[in-house]
Amino acid sequence: MDLKLDNKRVLMTGATGGIGREICKAFLMENAKIFNFYRERNKMESLVSWLNDQGISTDKLHGCSVNLSDQDSVEDGFKKMMSEFGGIDIYVNVVGKAVESPFLLGNSDDWEKAQEINLKPAVLLSRLVIKPMMLARSGSIVFISSIVAWRFGRGVVPYATAKAALNRFAETLAFEVGQKGIRVNLVCPGMIDTKMAESIKQKHSDFLEYHSALGRIGKPKEIAPAVLFLASDATSSYMTGQKIVVDGGVSL
Ligand SMILES: NC(=O)c1ccc[n+]([C@@H]2O[C@H](COP(=O)([O-])OP(=O)(O)OC[C@H]3O[C@@H](n4cnc5c(N)ncnc54)[C@H](OP(=O)(O)O)[C@@H]3O)[C@@H](O)[C@H]2O)c1
């Protein structure tokens, strides 16, 4: 099926990470244009090498360094993106980090850290991307959340709370901007084999494999198809405010 993503202008965060790079690769393979907000140039260079090693052209991959918790830095990055691409069709927010912190041993820093990276970039960037999308009366936003927003979550209360807030943010935002032609959806992964999940995997892999209907942890490339499905009007034009759960049946 043609996803009709040819030359679509995609703003991404987190394309340098395990799940993000597979999403980036999938969009490039559909001939979309990506602008990624990265924090370290060397990580962006590694992403380019990783793609080129697989024969994927990176001519359509652009980006700049942005501090995603800082409004001015996000606004500067967005201006650069708009001047290079001349507009935006799709925004995919992947950035996130599981802050492991047993509640009674934690402090307010854990809450701030969890919100800063799992919620704040989505809020700051949504405010910016929605304006040009409203003018175009078209746009698709996809947030990467997590099944911990409503299931499991021992030792990750601040992270789970931030992801739950992200889910409700997406749902209510979808209602507010739907009549302007903008769709807002979520992809909620279960345990996926990336750097972020390493320590949880070491501690709980037996438990997770046992609870997964498919009996295994997920691969990063298994998230991208759900993101492209929600990003594309060709496949999901009548879907908004929804979440696709990609967890091998862990949350059943
Ligand atoms: N892996 C899982 O089991 C799992 C499960 C459910 C949900 N998720 C969600 O999936 C998304 C991607 O996670 P992943 O597993 O791919 O993790 P990852 O490999 O660690 O990638 C995380 C991405 O976020 C960026 N990032 C992290 N902290 C940042 C900060 N303070 N400022 C700017 N960028 C920052 C990283 O940038 P650098 O490359 O510079 O480090 C990287 O691009 C996250 O939202 C995560 O919550 C993951």
Side-chain angles (χ1 to χ4, degrees):
M1 180 174 190
D2 182 4
L3 294 179
K4 297 197 168 66
L5 291 170
D6 199 29
N7 279 322
K8 289 290 181 197
R9 299 155 299 183
V10 183
L11 172 61
M12 271 191 82
T13 66
T16 54
I19 290 174
R21 68 185 189 171
E22 293 287 355
I23 296 171
C24 178
K25 176 180 162 184
F27 272 117
L28 291 174
M29 287 172 75
E30 293 294 327
N31 213 24
K33 290 162 75 172
I34 308 246
F35 200 99
N36 180 47
F37 286 173
Y38 55 85
R39 61 175 163 174
E40 288 171 25
R41 174 167 284 282
N42 66 325
K43 297 270 181 74
M44 188 67 182
E45 287 165 357
S46 302
L47 170 64
V48 169
S49 308
W50 180 79
L51 290 161
N52 290 158
D53 286 350
Q54 298 171 80
I56 309 286
S57 165
T58 45
D59 292 351
K60 292 188 171 182
L61 175 59
H62 301 239
C64 70
S65 163
V66 166
N67 175 354
L68 289 170
S69 319
D70 179 79
Q71 181 149 355
D72 291 342
S73 178
V74 168
E75 281 176 6
D76 286 349
F78 189 66
K79 274 184 204 145
K80 276 187 200 142
M81 189 249 169
M82 289 298 278
S83 80
E84 273 191 47
F85 280 10
I88 176 165
D89 302 297
I90 294 164
Y91 161 42
V92 179
N93 193 77
V94 183
V95 67
K97 189 172 168 56
V99 181
E100 277 189 82
S101 154
F103 184 63
L104 291 180
L105 300 177
N107 54 43
S108 58
D109 277 359
D110 302 326
W111 285 92
E112 273 157 35
K113 265 190 236 154
Q115 305 272 330
E116 263 206 356
I117 204 57
N118 294 291
L119 183 61
K120 192 171 177 185
V123 175
L124 291 179
L125 267 165
S126 294
R127 204 166 267 135
L128 296 172
V129 305
I130 280 168
K131 287 174 193 160
M133 285 179 175
M134 270 170 78
L135 289 173
R137 295 202 68 81
S138 167
S140 179
I141 299 176
V142 182
F143 297 118
I144 305 298
S145 182
S146 167
I147 60 166
V148 296
W150 71 95
R151 190 86 167 87
F152 297 114
R154 182 175 293 141
V156 289
V157 176
Y159 174 63
T161 306
K163 289 296 197 189
L166 178 65
N167 283 24
R168 195 62 192 132
F169 172 67
E171 288 162 2
T172 45
L173 188 62
F175 220 91
E176 225 171 279
V177 300
Q179 292 184 20
K180 311 288 181 195
I182 304 167
R183 299 184 298 109
V184 186
N185 290 289
L186 297 143
V187 172
C188 298
M191 177 61 65
I192 307 297
D193 200 358
T194 68
K195 196 178 75 195
M196 194 193 87
E198 253 163 35
S199 76
I200 300 174
K201 195 176 93 177
Q202 275 164 15
K203 283 185 223 156
H204 306 296
S205 81
D206 289 352
F207 172 85
L208 288 158
E209 280 164 14
Y210 177 75
H211 281 277
S212 157
L214 297 180
R216 65 174 176 84
I217 286 166
K219 300 179 186 115
K221 69 175 182 195
E222 292 180 301
I223 303 300
V227 175
L228 267 65
F229 172 84
L230 289 174
S232 164
D233 285 341
T235 42
S236 60
S237 57
Y238 199 47
M239 283 182 74
T240 196
Q242 300 304 308
K243 57 176 189 280
I244 295 186
V245 179
V246 187
D247 71 346
V250 168
S251 61
L252 291 175

